[in-house]
Amino acid sequence: CGRQSLKDEL
Amino acid sequence: MNIFRGIADFSHLAAIIILLHKIWKSRSCAGISGKSQILFAIVFTTRYLDLLTSFISLYNTSMKVIYISCSYATVYLIYMKFRATYDGNHDSFRVEFLVVPVGGLAVLINHDFALLEILWTFSIYLESVAILPQLFMISKTGEAETITTHYLFCLGLYRALYLFNWIWRFYFEGFFDMIAIVAGLVQTVLYCDFFYLYVTKVLKGKKLSLPA
């Protein structure tokens, strides 16, 4: 569910 | 990167620097919960282990390194350098009541049953409640220095802005992360009571003190 894409967040 | 996340990250940075600067300048950590600061150090350490495995951007790496370094510096100042000023008697929140359930939850509810993923999830859950020892300490002493309230405001504002960031990302990028969103909501709600006091008292030039 888009998890990888939020890894760029702090 | 959208405007909400950009401001949020700098609000977070401001909070961390305000606290470090306050302790350093006053040579005292009176009124500051060392337990909350240890929890934040654990939060950053467990979340940013991906510094070792993946590179996202120079901005991302620098901020992570700054957050981690500052959080350890804060813990060092409280428990080593200015230990004599640490108000341990009032910092009596039982952190095991947070860490143990949060650890269990991270093992049960995560995106992927892998070590780094579980630690990331643990850090998200733990961050949402890490401020509780500090809020508990303020409720116990009934007051907070104005600079401490600025710290708390910046820290609360950061996660509130992330909620807008996630709405933005859902609409424009189609991504959402339920774990981060739910934990972020919980975290923001914990600050609501404080936000109210900040706006009605501190911004009007009064000291934050609670009725006995």
Side-chain angles (χ1 to χ4, degrees):
Chain A
C1 55
R3 158 90 190 82
Q4 279 306 314
S5 302
L6 293 187
K7 269 244 156 133
D8 59 337
E9 292 184 350
L10 300 161
Chain B
M1 173 70 80
N2 56 61
I3 184 83
F4 299 114
R5 182 145 67 103
I7 298 175
D9 286 348
F10 279 92
S11 176
H12 196 183
L13 185 63
I16 292 169
I17 305 261
I18 285 171
L19 185 64
L20 253 183
H21 184 259
K22 168 205 144 53
I23 295 174
W24 186 256
K25 274 286 161 189
S26 65
R27 322 294 290 174
S28 161
C29 55
I32 301 300
S33 165
K35 289 182 177 175
S36 274
Q37 294 311 314
I38 287 180
L39 292 182
F40 282 124
I42 296 173
V43 163
F44 290 136
T45 309
T46 51
R47 186 174 312 165
Y48 298 156
L49 283 173
D50 65 350
L51 273 174
L52 307 171
T53 61
S54 55
F55 178 80
I56 292 152
S57 66
L58 188 59
Y59 169 80
N60 187 276
T61 300
S62 334
M63 291 297 257
K64 284 174 174 172
V65 171
I66 293 171
Y67 286 177
I68 293 179
S69 324
C70 288
S71 73
Y72 278 95
T74 306
V75 168
Y76 166 76
L77 291 186
I78 295 174
Y79 285 97
M80 310 280 278
K81 194 164 176 65
F82 302 127
R83 192 190 179 92
T85 64
Y86 170 56
D87 198 3
N89 286 335
H90 285 125
D91 194 11
S92 52
F93 193 94
R94 301 280 296 274
V95 285
E96 59 271 33
F97 292 155
L98 295 180
V99 175
V100 173
V102 155
L105 196 64
V107 170
L108 289 174
I109 304 178
N110 52 58
H111 291 302
D112 182 19
F113 201 79
L115 182 64
L116 274 185
E117 197 57 40
I118 290 172
L119 287 173
W120 179 88
T121 312
F122 171 75
S123 85
I124 294 285
Y125 293 154
L126 186 61
E127 185 189 346
S128 69
V129 291
I131 201 60
L132 285 177
Q134 179 66 61
L135 295 177
F136 179 73
M137 194 171 178
I138 291 174
S139 73
K140 232 183 151 190
T141 59
E143 57 176 22
E145 280 180 60
T146 300
I147 189 76
T148 307
T149 66
H150 295 330
Y151 160 73
L152 281 168
F153 178 76
C154 289
L155 202 58
L157 179 66
Y158 137 71
R159 218 48 174 174
L161 286 171
Y162 256 80
L163 295 178
F164 292 101
N165 158 58
W166 291 323
I167 294 169
W168 178 287
R169 295 193 80 168
F170 179 69
Y171 275 106
F172 293 102
E173 298 166 38
F175 294 122
F176 71 99
D177 184 326
M178 210 33 102
I179 287 176
I181 291 172
V182 173
L185 269 172
V186 169
Q187 188 169 344
T188 306
V189 166
L190 292 181
Y191 284 88
C192 282
D193 193 33
F194 166 78
F195 282 149
Y196 174 77
L197 290 172
Y198 187 79
V199 170
T200 56
K201 289 198 169 184
V202 182
L203 290 185
K204 290 182 179 154
K206 285 183 265 183
K207 192 176 157 74
L208 190 140
S209 55
L210 305 172

